[in-house]
Amino acid sequence: MSNSSRDTEDDVWDTDTEKEAAERRIGERSLRRLEGTFVTAGYSDGVEASKYENMQTGFDQALDYALPHGRHAGRLLGRLVAYREIHGRSATGAHSDSDSALIAAVDSAIARLRALESRSVLMGSKSCASDSCSCSSGGGGGGGGAGTLSQTYVAVVQEAEALVSRLAVGGDK
């Protein structure tokens, strides 16, 4: 063997051989597959991160909006339950017809408030976000944003507000 042919066989950086060209092609294909795998994984990770971020933002907005309304309904429920406990039982056990009707209305309002579920409070776009939100005007003022009060919530709270107002001025007496 000549010295020059021996030099090319021993040359690590000599890329002219068929075997090395085949190995390079295999390596390039493997690299493309690996790049594709990482691109797919990166895309999936980005989509998941975006979902989490947007869901968290939506949750935070809905919570900030719904919490005052839940508090308001809870206050109404508390007032009605307190009235029922204080005025629901007379010392003699007898009630006038108007007292009985009022107590029945209180019992009905209590049952409807307790039946409200969190998912039945919000629908659509924001309408009222004050801490002392009164739904007497059909959902309040304001506009645009995270959610609108459902018709069920508005009807139940309006009924309870009217009853609490009626009780505050002495009922039918």
Side-chain angles (χ1 to χ4, degrees):
M1 220 192 277
S2 75
N3 207 10
S4 68
S5 71
R6 188 169 172 225
D7 288 340
T8 57
E9 287 176 6
D10 293 336
D11 187 5
V12 178
W13 303 108
D14 184 17
T15 59
D16 291 336
T17 67
E18 243 181 76
K19 182 178 175 185
E20 290 169 347
E23 288 174 355
R24 189 178 329 111
R25 284 190 300 272
I26 291 170
E28 288 172 356
R29 279 193 304 253
S30 294
L31 182 60
R32 281 192 297 270
R33 267 189 254 128
L34 189 58
E35 285 175 339
T37 299
F38 280 111
V39 165
T40 300
Y43 177 79
S44 295
D45 288 349
V47 167
E48 287 301 314
S50 176
K51 281 182 188 177
Y52 174 76
E53 186 178 309
N54 290 321
M55 285 189 326
Q56 186 63 47
T57 300
F59 173 83
D60 292 343
Q61 288 174 348
L63 181 65
D64 289 344
Y65 177 67
L67 200 57
H69 297 291
R71 242 187 257 123
H72 182 64
R75 280 189 212 112
L76 290 170
L77 178 60
R79 287 178 178 167
L80 292 171
V81 168
Y83 179 87
R84 180 67 171 100
E85 288 301 311
I86 293 169
H87 300 286
R89 297 177 193 93
S90 71
T92 64
H95 296 288
S96 69
D97 287 341
S98 64
D99 286 343
S100 294
L102 190 56
I103 289 170
V106 168
D107 287 343
S108 173
I110 289 171
R112 290 188 69 198
L113 281 167
R114 286 183 174 157
L116 279 178
E117 294 181 12
S118 60
R119 66 179 171 266
S120 69
V121 174
L122 297 179
M123 305 289 285
S125 64
K126 195 174 199 173
S127 64
C128 176
S130 70
D131 188 41
S132 60
C133 179
S134 173
C135 298
S136 297
S137 61
T148 265
L149 298 173
S150 72
Q151 291 178 347
T152 301
Y153 175 85
V154 171
V156 169
V157 169
Q158 283 178 345
E159 173 191 333
E161 286 174 336
L163 191 52
V164 166
S165 177
R166 185 173 156 198
L167 296 173
V169 294
D172 289 333
K173 298 176 184 178

